[in-house]
Amino acid sequence: MFNDVSISLPAKVRGPEAEEEWQEVDWVTWSTGTVTVDSESFLIVFKPTGAGSVKAKPLGNMIRAAAVGGTDEKTLIVTTSESMHRTYRMTFPTSEEASEFSAIASRAEVAANDAASRTKETGDVESGDATRLEHEIRAHFVERCPLVFGGAELYGPDPNGEASSEVLLGRGVMMILDPQEDNKRVGSYELAFFSEDEGVEKPSLSFAIAPEMTLSRQDADEEADSDAPVTFVLQAPTMAAHSVCFEDQTTAASFSRDFKVRSKLMDLSLKTLRGRAVAQGLRGELTSLKQRSLASRIWTVLSWGLLIAVLMVTGRAVHLYSENSQRPPAEYVSVIGQDLANTALLSASTTTAVGAKVCQITFGTVDRDGLRQCTRATTVSGMRQCLDSLTGYAPVLGHSFHEGM
């Protein structure tokens, strides 16, 4: 990472002309910011200083870099694979940083020459297209760090034929894209296939890595070479089966590992969610049972109390009728009402007396009538004996009271 790098663009000359004639080019300062270079693809990414939420801009894959010469040891002319601005002028804060960047550029130039030689010797145009597509995908999703797996062939149901038939859907790159950083939830992991024919703008096939999605490797033929392509079958409950074939076994192993890690994470997330739902349902049922149980008990007590009251009233009416059957019904009702009132008063007085006794035993309270008797004592000793009897120190209240009198 290189900070405080000033980048300038050609004012008039574009493309290859700027690369060949950069000494005669008028440069216009574009911006100052941070420059990062990928160690494998040599993709240059630039983010202006103080840009805030502005996305970082990919500047293409570095091909070479040259010093401007003279006394300026901090400025380099950088050539990339970017189609619009192929050449950039970068000025670093120190000559040491410029030398470090120049060393990376030397490795990038060697890698670019090797790739060009292989393409020229073998005529493998498709390999060059796949490599370029990988770089374009990394540049397009630079802020989400995509996992890119090149040299892939995708097979699936024929869009224009029977669903059971399997045809080649395209050659290109498989990509796994992790969710944006969010510590509060797992997020969604995306799996996409980009065809060399359609490019990076729109994936040929894209879906989320869902729970219960499986990736199984097809058994290789016993007579197949050890470097034979590796084929996986991708299945899910909500989608038709697809086959993914990788030319390179190392790439295939990396794809299988990264996919299964995310698939297991989604399975675990679903299991946790189901466990929470079951626990919440059980808590709701338990609360409902408790409420029904309490309401049932209250209803039972009220029902029995009402039944007993009806039986008592009926029995009292039969008793009154047996004593004198000539009374008018209104008189029976009056007598029964008076009995009910007396019963209520008796219950209230009994409850009050029991409560007072309980308070006296529990909290040591003193009866008010007994206290009034103690105040009538004429001597101090008599009053003390009376109070002792109220508080439990004298055996009999009457003895103390008479002695005081």
Side-chain angles (χ1 to χ4, degrees):
M1 179 182 294
F2 302 89
N3 297 318
D4 298 328
V5 180
S6 176
I7 297 183
S8 300
L9 303 176
K12 296 180 180 180
V13 183
R14 302 278 183 174
E17 297 179 6
E19 182 182 358
E20 299 295 334
E21 304 174 5
W22 59 265
Q23 296 90 343
E24 302 177 1
V25 171
D26 293 329
W27 299 91
V28 177
T29 302
W30 176 30
S31 183
T32 301
T34 301
V35 173
T36 57
V37 183
D38 184 75
S39 59
E40 295 182 0
S41 64
F42 299 101
L43 175 68
I44 301 177
V45 179
F46 174 71
K47 185 167 185 176
T49 302
S53 59
V54 177
K55 295 183 178 180
K57 177 178 176 56
L59 305 183
N61 302 92
M62 182 162 53
I63 298 177
R64 68 180 65 88
V68 297
T71 59
D72 190 353
E73 299 179 352
K74 299 186 295 183
T75 303
L76 300 174
I77 305 299
V78 182
T79 303
T80 70
S81 61
E82 213 268 336
S83 58
M84 180 176 295
H85 299 290
R86 185 177 175 84
T87 308
Y88 299 89
R89 176 175 174 148
M90 298 186 182
T91 302
F92 296 84
T94 63
S95 58
E96 290 77 9
E97 292 184 68
S99 299
E100 183 181 352
F101 187 89
S102 181
I104 298 175
S106 298
R107 297 199 303 270
E109 185 174 2
V110 172
N113 292 335
D114 291 343
S117 299
R118 287 195 301 269
T119 302
K120 184 177 180 181
E121 292 174 0
T122 61
D124 190 1
V125 180
E126 293 183 357
S127 177
D129 292 341
T131 303
R132 183 172 61 254
L133 181 59
E134 291 181 34
H135 293 165
E136 291 177 355
I137 292 174
R138 289 192 176 96
H140 189 74
F141 298 96
V142 62
E143 292 193 346
R144 298 183 63 179
C145 301
L147 301 177
V148 180
F149 309 91
E153 293 182 351
L154 181 65
Y155 297 85
D158 186 359
N160 302 319
E162 297 180 0
S164 59
S165 62
E166 187 178 62
V167 297
L168 176 64
L169 300 179
R171 295 182 175 88
V173 177
M174 292 294 298
M175 180 192 71
I176 296 178
L177 195 63
D178 292 340
Q180 295 181 350
E181 294 184 4
D182 187 350
N183 296 328
K184 297 181 180 180
R185 57 179 182 177
V186 176
S188 175
Y189 296 89
E190 301 176 24
L191 181 64
F193 176 79
F194 293 89
S195 173
E196 296 174 0
D197 298 331
E198 299 180 5
V200 73
E201 295 301 327
K202 183 179 179 181
S204 302
L205 185 67
S206 176
F207 40 79
I209 300 178
E212 302 179 358
M213 182 179 287
T214 60
L215 183 72
S216 56
R217 178 170 178 169
Q218 283 188 348
D219 296 332
D221 190 356
E222 296 180 357
E223 300 179 356
D225 188 12
S226 59
D227 295 332
V230 180
T231 302
F232 297 99
V233 178
L234 184 65
Q235 293 178 314
T238 58
M239 60 171 283
H242 289 74
S243 298
V244 183
C245 181
F246 290 96
E247 299 175 358
D248 183 62
Q249 293 190 358
T250 303
T251 304
S254 300
F255 173 76
S256 176
R257 180 195 63 234
D258 293 334
F259 176 87
K260 290 182 178 179
V261 167
R262 287 153 181 80
S263 178
K264 289 180 180 179
L265 179 61
M266 297 306 298
D267 291 340
L268 180 61
S269 176
L270 178 62
K271 184 177 180 180
T272 303
L273 184 62
R274 287 177 176 175
R276 291 179 179 176
V278 171
Q280 185 67 26
L282 292 176
R283 283 195 292 267
E285 292 182 5
L286 181 60
T287 303
S288 178
L289 288 175
K290 288 181 178 180
Q291 292 176 351
R292 288 200 299 265
S293 177
L294 179 61
S296 177
R297 291 178 182 177
I298 295 175
W299 175 251
T300 301
V301 171
L302 292 177
S303 299
W304 278 104
L306 181 61
L307 178 61
I308 293 173
V310 170
L311 293 176
M312 292 179 63
V313 170
T314 304
R316 179 58 174 166
V318 171
H319 177 70
L320 293 175
Y321 183 79
S322 62
E323 288 182 348
N324 188 357
S325 60
Q326 302 300 325
R327 291 181 179 181
E331 190 172 340
Y332 293 133
V333 173
S334 177
V335 173
I336 293 174
Q338 186 64 35
D339 292 343
L340 292 175
N342 293 336
T343 302
L345 291 175
L346 179 61
S347 299
S349 60
T350 302
T351 302
T352 302
V354 171
K357 191 63 177 178
V358 170
C359 291
Q360 181 178 359
I361 296 173
T362 304
F363 304 105
T365 55
V366 179
D367 181 55
R368 290 183 298 177
D369 295 337
L371 187 61
R372 289 193 185 95
Q373 291 181 0
C374 292
T375 57
R376 298 192 186 102
T378 57
T379 62
V380 175
S381 60
M383 184 178 295
R384 179 179 298 172
Q385 290 179 359
C386 180
L387 293 175
D388 289 343
S389 65
L390 289 178
T391 56
Y393 291 100
V396 181
L397 176 62
H399 292 174
S400 301
F401 180 76
H402 289 299
E403 290 176 1
M405 298 299 291

